[in-house]
Amino acid sequence: MEIKADTTVCIGAGMCALTVPQVFDQSEDEGTVVVLLEGEVPEKLEDAVRRAVTLCPSGAISVS
């Protein structure tokens, strides 16, 4: 599973960072999503990442 984040769509709600702080953060300047992981998501975090995708109000985060 890989994460895709579109900062042009992100509204800075922060649900991703609150749900999985090991994976997501928010930029200091704009408050938009920052993905902390590079490459594949560890299997133990996949369910939490899927939940963060579901909770994102703007649909800025997706997984493949």
Side-chain angles (χ1 to χ4, degrees):
M1 167 190 292
E2 288 190 39
I3 301 168
K4 295 179 184 177
D6 186 345
T7 57
T8 64
V9 174
C10 179
I11 60 171
M15 294 306 298
C16 56
L18 290 171
T19 304
V20 197
Q22 311 92 307
V23 177
F24 300 105
D25 198 359
Q26 290 180 272
S27 88
E28 298 261 340
D29 297 329
E30 299 173 7
T32 55
V33 62
V34 174
V35 180
L36 301 174
L37 291 180
E38 291 183 24
E40 294 287 317
V41 174
E43 189 175 327
K44 66 181 182 180
L45 295 175
E46 286 183 356
D47 288 341
V49 169
R50 284 188 186 97
R51 176 126 175 91
V53 169
T54 302
L55 292 173
C56 179
S58 66
I61 305 167
S62 63
V63 292
S64 58

